[in-house]
């Protein structure tokens, strides 16, 4: 059905195009085309502009009619486009349908306008709109001013420190400022839920009274007791009132709350304090009077004042001094009162004779103090009168006793002192000056520390601390004290604690005696004992050194004697060995000639040749003689070394070849350098410099070399046997060098286990040895040190550290100074 309708709508076979009506005249056709296209374009632009307008001005009334106008114009534009289409396509049914649609829209638009025109006529004219706008502008300004005023009021209420609450006329809360919430802990809703404003009152009847008063348009002010949300009680200064409109009608109720709890508590405390002070003044044992600064009449007095004057308070208050005392005394009192008030200072009268009524004459100590008002002016005069009659009597007795005591102290031979707990002198007897030379004023009120020797101060402090802690006296402290003349003397001190009524130590008192002479005598005896002990040690050392020197001298004589006795036969043998060797060669040559000329000897000779192994004898005899010559030469060298080492003919200073002395010593010790069963050969490395002849005591210097080499060999042998060193190449290095034109240096270094520091520091002390008993006397290095330092004016020192070997350094002058 729908398909048939569309087919019918687009049916055009029985029609001719509209262009035939124009006879297809080109100018006419184009005229219609351009005109219809322009109209359509204009029609299409109008709805677009209308839609844009109503989208931007949504406040414009009747904007629906604009859409109808847009639809109507759009349909009209489409009809003009259809006119162009039907010039060639005879779709007149479609063109008619578009025109029908345009008619429907136009009719609907016309009816809409009929309905809207009466409403449009009610719209104000531009003049009316201008007047309305002016009225609105004025209202807006007024409203903004009102809003600003309300904002300022709101800010003031919000920032107010007082708690402000507003309720409606029925008493239901409608506003709380932050201070109200902080003070009572209720928001508006919370207070309504708690029962309204009555919830913060401890007395509901009082809350009703306040509400009734302000509901009647009256103000209410006063102090009430309230409570916060957690039940904490507070004293509140409340100002409540009604809020009225311009007509005087009550529109709300307001309450301003100020927390005065602390102020009320302070007032209560002040009242309590005043009552307490009044009780204290009444209970004071000294008389207290208070006068008015204007007329000097008594306004207050305590019970002690009544007793002093001899009348009751009723007879004193409101009276002046002239009503109570004779005119002469009243004049004196009034003068003092005015002086205190005028000067605004405290006036003290140390002693005043007072004659009260019906009582004995007494001595008073008076203090008058002005009491000022808030402007700093005297309002009252406080007078405190202390009866010191008994005190004066006691002071007189004490003065007499002190005079007696002072006489005893000042005439004592010892110095007597008193100190505070921190060591400050509070009393020094005159003998302090005689003992130490200082004036008493120089140390009274000063610490004892400056006069004590710095080394003895800790002992003094410990001595006093012990007394302070135990509360018991101590005796026998002996310390050095600096006198006025900068010399030091010895004192002994006996000290006792000063104890107060509570049993606490509050100071020290003691007696000091000069024991300088005794200490000097003791020191002298001690020094004599030390000197005697030192002399004994020196004698023992000297004796041992003499014995050792005698042994060395005897050994030198023995060595020299043996060398001398051996030297002659050895020289005889050594001298004849050359001739024996020559004779032997001649005989062997002769025997060789016989063998050449008589090659066939007789049988007896042949048998003898075989028996003595003649060939072997001919070959071995020259070797035997050569070996004997080497041995004899070795004996000659040893004998020469022994003579060089002993040097009996060189006991005095003479130029000496140092290397010769070293070599002679090594020759004697050569048997200890050779390979043994337990350890390898000890290698001697010679690093000799070019030394001049050195003026020295040659035999003593050789003794030094012998001691040092022997100690080095002992250290190497022990370390090899006990495996204290890891290497297997024991060495002794000898270095000589000329340091300058005046001195030479000899270094003897071994690669043994080294010497510990504590041993190295004592190496040259007499009798000090680390060797087993019987192996060393402890004098070798001590004597060597004396030979080098005292006999030759040189230097002997040991440089060593564990596992690094040891080095002995000998430094001596080339020429000895004239002695």
């Amino acid at each position: 059905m729908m398909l048939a309708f569309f087919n019918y709508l687009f049916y055009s076979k029985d029609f001719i195009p509209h262009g035939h009506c124009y006879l297809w005249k080109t100018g006419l056709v184009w005229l219609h085309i351009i005109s219809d296209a322009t109209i359509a374009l204009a029609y299409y632009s109008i709805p677009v502009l209308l839609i844009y307008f109503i989208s931007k001005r949504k406040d414009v009334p009747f904007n629906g009619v604009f859409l109808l106008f847009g639809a109507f114009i759009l349909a009209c534009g489409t009809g003009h486009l259809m006119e162009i289409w039907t010039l060639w396509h005879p779709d007149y049914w479609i063109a008619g349908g578009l025109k029908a649609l345009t008619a429907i829209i136009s009719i609907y638009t016309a009816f809409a306008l009929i309905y809207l025109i009466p409403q449009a006529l009610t719209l104000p004219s531009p003049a009316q709109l201008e007047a309305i706008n002016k009225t609105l502008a004025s209202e807006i300004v007024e409203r903004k001013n009102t809003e600003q005023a309300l904002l300022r009021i709101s800010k003031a209420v919000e920032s107010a420190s007082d708690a402000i609450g507003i309720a409606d006329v029925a008493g239901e809360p409608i506003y709380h400022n932050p201070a109200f919430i902080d003070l009572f802990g209720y928001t508006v809703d919370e207070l309504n839920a708690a029962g309204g404003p009555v919830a913060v009152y401890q007395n509901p009847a009082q809350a009703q009274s306040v509400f009734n008063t302000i509901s009647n348009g009256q103000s209410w002010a006063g102090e009430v007791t309230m409570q916060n949300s957690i039940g904490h009680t507070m004293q509140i200064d409340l100002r409540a009132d009604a809020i009225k409109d311009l007509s005087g009608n009550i529109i709300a109720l307001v309450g301003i709350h100020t927390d005065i709890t602390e102020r009320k508590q302070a007032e209560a405390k002040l009242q309590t304090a005043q009552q307490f002070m009044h009780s204290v003044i009444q209970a004071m044992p000294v008389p207290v009077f208070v006068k008015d600064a204007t007329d000097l009449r008594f306004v207050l007095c305590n019970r002690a004042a009544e007793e002093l004057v001899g009348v009751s308070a009723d007879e004193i208050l409101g009276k002046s001094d002239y009503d109570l005392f004779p005119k002469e005394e009243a004049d004196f009192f009034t003068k003092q009162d005015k002086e205190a008030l005028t000067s605004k200072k405290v006036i003290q009268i140390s002693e005043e004779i007072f004659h009260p009524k019906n009582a004995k004459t007494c001595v008073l100590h008076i203090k008058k103090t002005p009491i000022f008002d808030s402007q700093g002016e005297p309002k009252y005069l406080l007078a405190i009168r202390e009866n010191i009659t008994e005190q004066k009597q006691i002071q007189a007795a004490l003065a007499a006793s002190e005079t007696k005591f002072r006489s005893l102290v000042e005439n004592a031979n010892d110095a007597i002192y008193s100190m505070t707990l921190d060591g400050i002198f509070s009393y020094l007897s005159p003998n302090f000056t005689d003992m130490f030379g200082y004036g008493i004023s120089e140390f009274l009120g000063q610490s004892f520390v400056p006069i004590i020797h710095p080394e003895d101060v800790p002992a003094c402090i410990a001595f006093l601390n012990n007394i302070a802690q135990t509360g018991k006296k101590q005796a026998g402290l002996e310390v050095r004290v600096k006198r006025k003349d900068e010399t030091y003397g010895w004192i002994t001190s006996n000290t006792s604690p000063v104890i107060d009524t509570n049993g606490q130590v509050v100071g020290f008192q003691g007696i000091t005696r000069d024991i300088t002479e005794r200490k000097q005598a003791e020191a002298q005896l001690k020094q004599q004992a030390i000197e005697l002990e030192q002399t004994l040690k020196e004698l023992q050392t000297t004796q041992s050194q003499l014995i050792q020197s005698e042994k060395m001298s005897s050994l030198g004589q023995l060595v020299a004697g043996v060398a001398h006795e051996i030297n002659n036969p050895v020289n005889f043998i050594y001298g004849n060995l050359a001739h024996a060797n020559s004779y032997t060669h001649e005989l062997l040559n002769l025997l060789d000639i016989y063998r050449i000329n008589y090659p066939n000897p007789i049988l007896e000779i042949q048998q003898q040749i075989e028996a003595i192994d003649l060939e072997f004898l001919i070959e071995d005899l020259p070797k035997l003689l050569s070996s004997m010559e080497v041995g004899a030469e070795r004996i000659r060298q040893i004998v020469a070394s022994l003579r060089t080492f002993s040097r009996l003919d060189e006991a005095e200073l003479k130029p000496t070849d140092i290397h010769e002395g070293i070599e002679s010593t090594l020759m004697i010790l050569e048997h200890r350098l050779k390979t043994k069963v337990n350890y390898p050969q000890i290698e001697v490395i010679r690093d000799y410099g070019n030394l001049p002849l050195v003026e020295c005591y040659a035999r003593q210097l050789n003794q030094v070399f012998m001691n040092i080499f022997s100690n080095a060999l002992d250290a190497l042998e022990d370390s090899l046997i006990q495996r204290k060193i890891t290497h297997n190449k024991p060495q002794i290095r000898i270095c000589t060098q000329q340091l300058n034109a005046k001195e030479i240096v000899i270094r003897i270094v071994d690669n043994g286990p080294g010497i510990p520091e504590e041993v190295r520091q004592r190496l040259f002390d007499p009798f000090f040895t680390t060797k087993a008993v019987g192996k060393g006397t402890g004098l070798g290095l001590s004597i060597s040190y004396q030979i080098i330092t005292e006999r030759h004016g040189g230097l002997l020192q040991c440089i060593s550290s564990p596992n690094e070997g040891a080095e002995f350094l000998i430094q001596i002058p080339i020429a000895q100074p004239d002695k």
Side-chain angles (χ1 to χ4, degrees):
M1 187 70 180
M2 184 63 68
L3 183 60
F5 172 74
F6 278 105
N7 287 335
Y8 183 76
L9 186 62
F10 286 97
Y11 180 77
S12 60
K13 290 181 180 181
D14 295 335
F15 306 107
I16 61 173
H18 195 202
H20 289 285
C21 296
Y22 301 138
L23 301 179
W24 296 108
K25 288 188 179 293
T26 304
L28 183 60
V29 171
W30 277 108
L31 177 61
H32 281 274
I33 290 173
I34 293 171
S35 300
D36 286 331
T38 302
I39 294 171
L41 180 62
Y43 278 180
Y44 279 146
S45 64
I46 292 173
V48 173
L49 293 174
L50 288 175
I51 292 172
Y52 174 76
F53 175 75
I54 64 174
S55 67
K56 294 297 183 181
R57 289 295 305 273
K58 294 181 179 180
D59 58 325
V60 175
F62 321 126
N63 52 12
V65 76
F66 287 94
L67 295 177
L68 288 175
F69 271 116
F72 169 69
I73 294 171
L74 186 62
C76 289
T78 305
H80 282 281
L81 290 177
M82 200 63 194
E83 288 292 329
I84 298 172
W85 176 263
T86 57
L87 285 175
W88 291 276
H89 305 283
D91 295 323
Y92 297 123
W93 284 107
I94 296 175
L98 288 173
K99 289 180 179 180
L101 179 62
T102 303
I104 292 170
I105 294 174
S106 63
I107 291 171
Y108 187 80
T109 302
F111 278 108
L113 285 172
I114 293 170
Y115 174 74
L116 292 175
I117 283 175
Q119 298 181 38
L121 291 175
T122 61
L123 293 175
S125 64
Q128 291 175 329
L129 287 175
E130 184 177 359
I132 292 171
N133 287 336
K134 288 182 179 180
T135 302
L136 286 174
S138 176
E139 290 179 355
I140 289 171
V141 171
E142 184 177 354
R143 182 172 181 176
K144 285 184 176 180
N145 291 336
T146 304
E147 288 177 352
Q148 290 294 329
L150 289 174
L151 180 61
R152 286 193 293 270
I153 294 172
S154 175
K155 290 289 185 182
V157 171
E158 290 289 322
S159 60
S161 59
D162 289 335
I164 300 175
I166 300 176
D168 58 19
V169 292
E172 187 172 334
I174 57 176
Y175 171 79
H176 291 164
N177 73 339
F180 187 97
I181 298 172
D182 291 340
L183 181 61
F184 293 105
Y186 289 110
T187 63
V188 171
D189 294 337
E190 289 171 346
L191 189 58
N192 282 327
V198 71
V200 299
Y201 286 83
Q202 277 204 335
N203 186 352
Q206 193 175 38
Q208 189 61 45
S209 173
V210 172
F211 181 76
N212 292 338
T213 301
I214 60 178
S215 295
N216 293 328
Q218 298 175 347
S219 299
W220 193 98
E223 296 179 3
V224 296
T225 303
M226 293 186 171
Q227 59 188 10
N228 60 13
S229 59
I230 60 174
H232 179 66
T233 301
M234 298 177 290
Q235 294 297 316
I236 302 296
D237 181 16
L238 175 64
R239 286 91 68 202
D241 211 335
I243 302 174
K244 301 176 182 179
D245 60 13
L246 297 177
S247 301
N249 298 318
I250 297 176
I251 58 174
L253 308 175
V254 62
I256 301 174
H257 310 73
T258 302
D259 186 1
I260 59 172
T261 305
E262 292 184 0
R263 191 188 77 191
K264 298 298 287 183
Q265 291 174 347
E267 290 175 354
K269 288 181 179 178
L270 179 60
Q271 185 176 1
T272 302
Q274 289 174 342
Q275 293 174 351
F276 173 74
M277 288 302 298
H278 184 269
S279 300
V280 170
I281 291 173
Q282 290 298 325
M284 286 178 65
V286 296
V288 177
F289 299 91
V290 178
K291 295 180 181 180
D292 188 288
T294 305
D295 55 9
L296 295 179
R297 293 186 177 276
F298 293 99
V299 295
L300 176 68
C301 65
N302 64 353
R303 284 188 291 273
E306 295 177 29
E307 294 174 1
L308 176 66
V309 179
V311 295
S312 66
D314 294 336
E315 298 178 74
I316 296 174
L317 299 182
K319 305 289 180 61
S320 68
D321 290 328
Y322 291 97
D323 299 324
L324 299 174
F325 308 110
K327 183 177 183 306
E328 183 179 350
E329 289 187 6
D331 286 340
F332 180 72
F333 295 153
T334 302
K335 179 182 178 182
Q336 293 173 343
D337 293 345
K338 290 181 178 180
E339 181 181 351
L341 293 171
T342 303
S343 65
K344 298 182 180 181
K345 295 180 181 179
V346 178
I347 299 297
Q348 292 198 59
I349 304 167
S350 56
E351 292 183 19
E352 180 178 291
I353 305 301
F354 184 65
H355 305 282
K357 295 180 179 179
N358 305 321
K360 295 181 181 179
T361 300
C362 56
V363 181
L364 301 180
H365 174 267
I366 303 174
K367 180 184 291 185
K368 297 190 176 184
T369 306
I371 301 174
F372 304 97
D373 59 15
S374 58
Q375 282 75 37
E377 294 299 324
K379 187 173 183 180
Y380 298 103
L381 180 67
L382 171 66
I384 299 176
R385 291 178 166 88
E386 182 181 2
N387 190 343
I388 58 172
T389 305
E390 185 177 352
Q391 181 180 344
K392 297 298 292 183
Q393 294 171 350
I394 294 173
Q395 285 178 352
L398 285 175
S401 176
E402 182 180 357
T403 301
K404 181 179 179 180
F405 169 76
R406 186 177 296 276
S407 176
L408 292 173
V409 169
E410 291 180 354
N411 291 315
N413 292 327
D414 298 328
I416 299 173
Y417 62 88
S418 231
M419 285 193 304
T420 62
L421 276 178
D422 50 1
I424 304 299
F425 285 118
S426 56
Y427 174 78
L428 290 168
S429 68
N431 203 35
F432 177 83
T433 301
D434 298 336
M435 192 176 293
F436 304 114
Y438 300 105
I440 292 176
S441 60
E442 293 183 63
F443 273 91
L444 202 61
Q446 302 296 322
S447 172
F448 74 91
V449 173
I451 64 171
I452 304 299
H453 194 285
E455 295 177 1
D456 296 338
V457 170
C460 286
I461 294 174
F463 182 79
L464 294 176
N465 286 342
N466 188 26
I467 297 173
Q469 292 170 5
T470 61
K472 297 180 180 179
K473 64 180 180 180
Q474 301 290 330
L477 174 67
E478 294 184 359
V479 293
R480 289 163 287 181
V481 177
K482 188 177 182 180
R483 300 189 185 96
K484 181 80 170 182
D485 60 2
E486 300 294 327
T487 61
Y488 279 96
W490 282 89
I491 62 164
T492 181
S493 180
N494 299 335
T495 306
S496 301
V498 177
I499 300 175
D500 63 9
T501 55
N502 297 322
Q504 299 296 318
V505 176
V506 295
F508 308 102
Q509 58 187 14
I511 300 174
T512 295
R513 176 168 295 175
D514 190 345
I515 58 169
T516 304
E517 292 182 0
R518 191 193 83 191
K519 295 297 286 188
Q520 289 174 345
E522 291 176 356
Q524 187 175 2
L525 289 174
K526 185 176 181 180
Q527 182 62 32
Q528 289 175 352
I530 293 172
E531 290 175 357
L532 180 59
E533 183 180 359
Q534 184 66 28
T535 302
L536 289 174
K537 286 184 179 180
E538 290 176 357
L539 287 173
Q540 185 180 6
T541 302
T542 302
Q543 182 184 15
S544 300
Q545 290 177 347
L546 287 173
I547 294 172
Q548 185 71 9
S549 298
E550 185 63 27
K551 285 182 180 179
M552 292 301 296
S553 178
S554 300
L555 177 61
Q557 292 176 358
L558 176 62
V559 168
V562 170
H564 179 73
E565 293 299 326
I566 294 175
N567 189 53
N568 289 332
V570 166
N571 284 337
F572 173 77
I573 294 171
Y574 185 78
N576 287 325
L577 277 175
H579 299 293
N581 191 27
S582 176
Y583 296 159
T584 301
H585 280 289
E586 290 176 357
L587 289 174
L588 290 176
N589 288 335
L590 178 61
L591 181 59
D592 190 46
I593 293 172
Y594 268 102
R595 291 179 66 183
I596 294 171
N597 292 304
Y598 298 99
N600 297 311
I602 62 175
L603 180 60
E604 185 179 0
I605 293 174
Q606 291 180 356
Q607 289 176 348
Q608 187 64 29
I609 289 173
E610 291 178 358
I612 64 174
D613 194 359
L614 182 60
E615 293 297 331
F616 173 76
L617 289 177
I618 293 171
E619 181 182 357
D620 190 56
L621 185 56
K623 295 179 181 180
L624 181 63
L625 291 172
S626 178
S627 177
M628 292 173 63
E629 185 177 4
V630 171
E633 178 63 26
R634 172 66 178 160
I635 294 172
R636 287 185 64 203
Q637 291 176 353
I638 293 173
V639 169
S641 296
L642 289 172
R643 296 185 64 184
T644 300
F645 179 78
S646 62
R647 293 185 183 269
L648 289 176
D649 55 342
E650 298 179 8
E652 300 299 326
L653 276 172
K654 63 179 295 185
T656 305
D657 185 349
I658 296 297
H659 295 154
E660 185 180 279
I662 293 173
E663 290 300 324
S664 68
T665 307
L666 291 174
M667 178 65 71
I668 295 173
L669 296 173
E670 186 172 0
H671 68 285
R672 297 188 62 183
L673 300 173
K674 294 180 180 180
T675 303
K676 301 293 191 300
V677 177
N678 296 325
Y679 47 85
Q681 179 179 350
I682 297 174
E683 181 183 7
V684 178
I685 300 174
R686 296 168 174 85
D687 184 9
Y688 292 161
N690 188 15
L691 298 184
L693 295 179
V694 177
E695 188 178 21
C696 64
Y697 297 97
R699 182 162 59 87
Q700 294 182 1
L701 203 57
N702 289 344
Q703 184 178 350
V704 173
F705 296 150
M706 175 65 75
N707 286 329
I708 295 175
F709 285 137
S710 296
N711 284 339
L713 290 170
D714 289 342
L716 290 171
E717 289 172 0
D718 291 343
S719 61
L720 287 168
I721 294 172
Q722 300 175 17
R723 301 185 181 277
K724 292 182 178 179
I725 55 176
T726 57
H727 59 79
N728 201 29
K729 294 181 179 180
Q731 294 177 350
I732 296 177
R733 180 181 294 273
I734 307 168
C735 301
T736 61
Q737 179 185 4
Q738 183 174 349
L739 289 179
N740 49 51
K742 295 183 178 181
E743 292 179 307
I744 68 163
V745 64
I746 305 164
R747 291 183 175 88
I748 302 172
V749 185
D750 67 68
N751 62 349
I755 303 173
E757 179 61 21
E758 61 273 13
V759 174
R760 189 191 68 80
Q761 292 181 353
R762 300 188 60 193
L763 274 181
F764 304 118
D765 292 351
F767 305 109
F768 176 76
T769 181
T770 59
K771 297 178 182 179
V773 178
K775 290 192 68 177
T777 62
L779 289 171
L781 289 178
S782 174
I783 293 172
S784 299
Y785 186 81
Q786 289 183 340
I787 291 172
I788 296 299
T789 58
E790 296 178 9
R791 296 286 286 171
H792 292 86
L795 172 69
L796 174 61
Q797 64 181 123
C798 175
I799 302 169
S800 180
S801 57
N803 303 318
E804 297 293 335
E807 175 183 352
F808 283 85
L809 185 146
I810 304 170
Q811 185 174 328
I812 58 175
I814 295 173
Q816 292 293 321
D818 295 335
K819 297 186 179 179

